[in-house]
Amino acid sequence: MAERGALRYRVQKHAARRLHYDFRLELGGVLKSWAVTRGPSLVAGERRLAVEVEDHGLDYADFEGVIAPGHYGAGVVLLWDRGSWEPEGDPVAALASGSLSFTLHGQPLTGRWRLMRMKLRPRERQVSWLLVKAQDGAARPPDAPDILDEQLRSIATDRTVEEIAAEAP
Ligand code: MN
């Protein structure tokens, strides 16, 4: 777990209308958030589309459970990773410039990563970034097992998406 004063890092696997992984970094008292459709990859250099979504409150960081139909984000939320993160340099300036390098202290995700903002195309309303693992000891070769297949259970409760759904009141 994060030591006192460390910035929170979370990934929530979200089985909504379409499955995605919500990647969240604490900054300035909120959780900066990106929806990663295909999920993060531990393969160095493999780029995963990360669509910028609205900031979430810190009180949402450890949420796991079922969001009822008709509500925003309806579906099952599984806490897939948690820990802390460390930006390289000034994170506010880095985000504004569209290139943020950082280290994750999570489980299963660790090591150095980068978020890069893509150029906004005409008529495009969503801001797209790429989430990329840097080459380091925590990176995996392309033929290694996919971390998304390896980790199907909650880091907090050891439950699967199906088990969380079944246990909803
Ligand atoms: Mn989501």
Side-chain angles (χ1 to χ4, degrees):
M1 283 301 288
E3 60 270 31
R4 189 183 271 283
L7 295 169
R8 276 167 269 202
Y9 144 70
R10 299 290 188 273
V11 179
Q12 284 156 320
K13 184 177 181 178
H14 192 180
R17 200 154 49 93
R18 188 174 179 193
L19 177 72
H20 59 273
Y21 293 74
D22 287 304
F23 187 89
R24 308 194 195 277
L25 299 175
E26 177 185 353
L27 190 62
V30 298
L31 296 167
K32 306 306 275 184
S33 300
W34 293 262
V36 186
T37 312
R38 293 179 57 208
S41 170
L42 278 173
V43 177
E46 199 165 289
R47 310 197 285 183
R48 291 291 162 93
L49 179 66
V51 175
E52 191 178 300
V53 294
E54 66 234 51
D55 298 344
H56 277 57
L58 292 177
D59 55 353
Y60 191 70
D62 294 316
F63 176 77
E64 178 172 277
V66 176
I67 301 173
H71 290 75
Y72 172 79
V76 178
V77 176
L78 176 153
L79 194 55
W80 190 81
D81 199 10
R82 68 178 168 194
S84 63
W85 74 287
E86 277 177 76
E88 285 174 27
D90 175 1
V92 175
L95 276 177
S97 77
S99 176
L100 174 69
S101 294
F102 53 98
T103 298
L104 292 180
H105 303 286
Q107 180 203 355
L109 302 190
T110 58
R112 295 186 55 242
W113 295 74
R114 194 169 163 211
L115 272 164
M116 287 171 288
R117 190 169 57 219
M118 295 167 75
K119 240 190 172 144
L120 201 64
R121 291 196 217 101
R123 291 187 299 281
E124 201 173 49
R125 278 152 84 191
Q126 62 184 31
V127 179
S128 296
W129 297 65
L130 295 170
L131 176 66
V132 189
K133 178 79 195 76
Q135 182 64 63
D136 62 14
R140 291 183 172 185
D143 57 351
D146 189 335
I147 191 64
L148 303 179
D149 297 332
E150 274 186 4
Q151 172 136 351
L152 295 171
R153 292 178 174 276
S154 163
I155 202 80
T157 63
D158 202 40
R159 295 181 295 174
T160 62
V161 164
E162 293 72 23
E163 286 166 358
I164 293 169
E167 286 166 25

